[in-house]
Amino acid sequence: MESVLVSACLQGVPCRFDGRGKASPEMAAAIGERRPVSFCPEVAAGLPTPRRPAEIVGGDGHDVLDGRARVVDDTGHDVTEAFLDGAGRALEAARRAGCTEALLMARSPSCGRGAVYDGTFAGELREGDGVAAALLERHGITVRPAPGG
C-alpha cells in the first residue's frame, strides 16, 4: 500500500504550538486509500507542546536550509537548529515509509507549502515554504498543503 506523510496535527494529534490538533474532515478524502504516516517535525526535534509560536525571519524554508534565514520564536529565541533537525527527521520518516507525497499543515514554519508567516508575528504571509516542506521537496517528495489546514 502506498504511504503519504501527513502533518500529525492534521490527524488530530495535539502537537501544534498552541497544544491543539487541527483534525480536518477533508484529510480522509485527500489521503484516500494510502497509509498515512503522521509526523510532526517540531515535536520530533524535541520542541515542547505547547511552545512559543515561531516564524521564519529573512526568507522561507529554502533560505533556512541555505543559511540565509533563521527561525525564531515570538520572544526572539533562535530555534533554527530544532527546525533543521525536525526537517531531517521528517525526510527520514518519509523515506523509511516510501512516501512520494506529503500533505502538510498550511502556513507553518515547518510544514507550510506556498505561503508561510513573514517573521513579523503580525499575521502577514509571504510566498514560500516551511523548512521541512523545503527539504522534502529538495529530495523529490511532492509537498501539498493539506485541505482544511
Side-chain angles (χ1 to χ4, degrees):
M1 174 182 281
E2 185 181 346
S3 298
V4 60
L5 191 73
V6 179
S7 291
C9 61
L10 294 171
Q11 298 256 268
V13 177
C15 59
R16 286 171 36 102
F17 75 94
D18 58 9
R20 298 182 307 182
K22 191 169 181 176
S24 164
E26 298 95 343
M27 281 302 295
I31 293 168
E33 298 297 316
R34 298 175 291 180
R35 181 177 66 88
V37 177
S38 294
F39 197 84
C40 177
E42 295 166 35
V43 170
L47 292 173
T49 303
R51 58 190 164 274
R52 304 299 310 182
E55 295 186 7
I56 300 171
V57 174
D60 76 342
H62 295 280
D63 296 308
V64 173
L65 294 175
D66 294 337
R68 294 187 304 263
R70 309 297 292 167
V71 185
V72 299
D73 70 19
D74 63 347
T75 68
H77 179 75
D78 189 317
V79 290
T80 304
E81 291 307 315
F83 276 73
L84 289 168
D85 180 44
R89 291 171 186 264
L91 177 60
E92 183 181 301
R95 284 180 166 165
R96 192 172 41 249
C99 299
T100 58
E101 184 179 6
L103 298 170
L104 302 180
M105 181 68 197
R107 301 175 300 280
S108 158
S110 286
C111 297
R113 176 74 171 116
V116 292
Y117 290 106
D118 71 356
T120 64
F121 296 93
E124 298 296 321
L125 295 172
R126 75 159 32 115
E127 190 174 306
D129 301 322
V131 181
L135 187 64
L136 292 167
E137 279 281 336
R138 285 187 179 188
H139 287 273
I141 296 171
T142 302
V143 178
R144 301 186 197 292

